[in-house]
Amino acid sequence: MSDDLLADWARKSWIESANNPACGFPLQSLPYCVFADEDSRPRIGIGIGDQILNLQLCARSGLLEGLPEPVQRACEAHTLNRLMACDRPGHASLRARLMNLLDSLADQSTRDAVSTALTPKSATTLLKPVESSNYTDFYASIHHATRVGRLFRPENPLLPNYKYVPIGYHGRASSLVVSGTAIRRPSGQTRPDPQAPPAFGPSRFLDYELEVGLFIGEGNSLGEPIPIREAGEAIFGVCLVNDWSARDMQTWENQPLGPFLAKSFATSVSPWVVPITALAPFRMAAARSSEDPSPLPYLFDAVDQHNGAVDLTLEAWLSTSALRTAGLGPHRLSQSNLRSLYWTPAQLVTHHASNGCNLLPGDLLATGTVSGPEDSSAGCLLELTAGGKQPIVLPNGESRRALEDGDQVILRGFCRRSGFPDVSLGECTGTVLTTC
Ligand code: CA
């Protein structure tokens, strides 16, 4: 780790709540969001401690003067799309300015000016941060692929292409919703009895998927791939993703073209977009074993293999109506880590653009369910219950093989390393509506 990076991470803020190492929103993170306050108009902000800094007000009051014009204008938009479309030097200049404004070394007049643009998080509503034109979902966890594969092909769980090609499919961007949005149980075709014809009705095996999302920054032109060495910097920031899945519909419709209506009814994203550069201290070597085939040359970069994974703890929690009625908190279903992905974020980006496909600013690439090697680190109920055959028992005696009406799924993500403040991705929540 460079001295510059260490010096950056030693800096403190004059906003005291940001200096608590466990707060998750230190000076070095400054995740972007779109929020509404009392007059309900959406504005771009950044999280710092227990506050949100209103970037529209910063731009209008001259605090961003001297930054590139497109960056200043983008800070007055109602989503992060225009900011994401700015170039990387533009993003870096904005972050450097914001860190200086909030640094404990800032003078009193700066603090006074910045204070007028601060709002307590608790007084705001967080909105959908980005209007993504495209959403792609990968299948980058080898543990997820193996455990799910075993349910259907016990002798041969991992397909022969897995260690060569990052598997993915094109998801549905129009049904991306922000954390907190209620989830309507989908109806669709299922065939519970293989000897009987299919029927249409509400899904009886609704599931969540614990994932991380990568938002694309500037993007690439049609026909121009993104070399692996540049792919890490093509990512603007990360969020949490819950790829809600109707397993019974999926099983019936999946062959031969993959997921369709079993996934496209809703995908939740967390409201915070953590800049990719804020994850620098938590980088680590890719999980690929030395016994595995080397990535094909277009997916191989020694630096990426050495430092392209991210040590990011992920958790899934469940709160049921009965737990809430009894005054009991959510139950943790599992804990996993992004570092166990078989493919690095940069490899996912490079592979996506390798055929010349153009990635647009704000496009969302999700990793796929992030599961670890232990059964307790599985990132969805399909795995945790062995296909619904082994229900989970909750502390109040309830059991679950699938989500029921009133169930709330809470995803959490955070980076933690000794000597550094935590960097939180916040939460991504969704409650299954009661079916009429
Ligand atoms: Ca998924």
Side-chain angles (χ1 to χ4, degrees):
M1 199 171 297
S2 74
D3 290 346
D4 283 353
L5 191 65
L6 287 171
D8 260 352
W9 282 80
R11 293 166 68 179
K12 303 282 185 201
S13 175
W14 54 267
I15 296 178
E16 271 311 313
S17 58
N19 299 328
N20 175 353
C23 92
F25 291 78
L27 178 67
Q28 292 78 7
S29 182
L30 306 184
Y32 295 98
C33 68
V34 172
F35 71 101
D37 51 19
E38 70 283 350
D39 68 4
S40 290
R41 277 180 298 184
R43 296 181 173 87
I44 292 177
I46 53 160
I48 171 83
D50 59 6
Q51 304 286 308
I52 289 178
L53 179 63
N54 181 332
L55 295 196
Q56 182 194 65
L57 280 182
C58 288
R60 290 184 179 172
S61 62
L63 287 165
L64 305 182
E65 228 170 68
L67 296 184
E69 276 298 319
V71 172
Q72 292 191 52
R73 283 201 303 276
C75 288
E76 297 196 47
H78 302 305
T79 69
L80 296 176
N81 291 67
R82 284 176 68 177
L83 187 57
M84 289 175 165
C86 293
D87 59 18
R88 290 198 297 272
H91 299 153
S93 67
L94 176 61
R95 269 180 65 72
R97 174 66 60 88
L98 295 171
M99 281 181 79
N100 286 338
L101 291 174
L102 295 162
D103 192 295
S104 56
L105 299 176
D107 60 31
Q108 193 57 49
S109 65
T110 300
R111 295 183 189 200
D112 291 345
V114 170
S115 293
T116 64
L118 287 171
T119 309
K121 270 186 213 165
S122 55
T124 65
T125 304
L126 295 173
L127 307 173
K128 189 175 169 185
V130 185
E131 286 300 332
S132 299
S133 302
N134 297 284
Y135 162 48
T136 301
D137 198 16
F138 282 95
Y139 199 53
S141 164
I142 194 169
H143 306 295
H144 173 65
T146 304
R147 217 177 270 111
V148 171
R150 197 174 289 134
L151 295 174
F152 302 100
R153 298 176 304 277
E155 303 306 316
N156 189 22
L158 208 58
L159 292 168
N161 59 1
Y162 191 84
K163 293 185 175 181
Y164 291 94
V165 56
I167 303 295
Y169 70 96
H170 287 110
R172 184 77 191 168
S174 66
S175 51
L176 291 169
V177 296
V178 72
S179 170
T181 305
I183 302 301
R184 195 182 294 267
R185 181 181 296 274
S187 285
Q189 273 201 35
T190 60
R191 192 180 65 160
D193 179 355
Q195 309 307 320
F200 184 89
S203 169
R204 302 271 48 105
F205 195 166
L206 185 59
D207 199 356
Y208 67 91
E209 290 191 332
L210 172 58
E211 307 196 10
V212 169
L214 314 168
F215 281 113
I216 296 297
E218 214 177 350
N220 60 308
S221 301
L222 186 64
E224 293 183 10
I226 302 175
I228 184 74
R229 285 192 182 175
E230 297 170 21
E233 294 186 331
I235 301 166
F236 177 90
V238 303
C239 68
L240 295 166
V241 172
N242 184 344
D243 182 30
W244 303 93
S245 300
R247 301 300 183 194
D248 43 0
M249 292 163 56
Q250 188 178 356
T251 306
W252 175 233
E253 75 172 13
N254 213 41
Q255 302 298 335
L257 286 185
F260 181 35
L261 302 181
K263 303 271 194 177
S264 62
F265 57 94
T267 306
S268 300
V269 298
S270 57
W272 298 106
V273 178
V274 176
I276 194 77
T277 47
L279 304 180
F282 312 102
R283 291 287 186 168
M284 57 186 301
R288 180 183 289 256
S289 151
S290 57
E291 292 163 15
D292 284 341
S294 180
L296 293 180
Y298 79 102
L299 290 173
F300 179 80
D301 174 51
V303 174
D304 182 52
Q305 287 298 299
H306 177 67
N307 206 29
V310 184
D311 184 2
L312 196 176
T313 300
L314 295 162
E315 294 179 345
W317 297 70
L318 178 67
S319 168
T320 68
S321 297
L323 283 172
R324 291 192 292 274
T325 302
L328 298 170
H331 171 70
R332 193 173 78 185
L333 295 171
S334 68
Q335 187 183 67
S336 63
N337 195 300
L338 196 67
R339 69 184 178 210
S340 66
L341 285 192
Y342 194 75
W343 300 102
T344 65
Q347 286 176 316
L348 300 181
V349 171
T350 287
H351 182 66
H352 203 316
S354 62
N355 65 345
C357 171
N358 50 330
L359 304 181
L360 303 177
D363 276 3
L364 180 66
L365 277 56
T367 55
T369 308
V370 183
S371 298
E374 306 86 15
D375 286 346
S376 61
S377 59
C380 61
L381 288 175
L382 180 69
E383 290 175 68
L384 288 171
T385 66
K389 293 192 274 294
Q390 298 164 16
I392 295 171
V393 179
L394 303 178
N396 61 348
E398 283 185 285
S399 67
R400 285 290 184 278
R401 54 174 285 281
L403 296 175
E404 296 191 1
D405 291 354
D407 282 359
Q408 181 188 41
V409 178
I410 304 156
L411 308 183
R412 293 178 182 152
F414 56 88
C415 293
R416 181 166 290 163
R417 178 174 175 178
S418 177
F420 293 84
D422 286 2
V423 168
S424 174
L425 269 66
E427 287 188 348
C428 181
T429 70
T431 303
V432 181
L433 280 175
T434 301
T435 309
C436 297

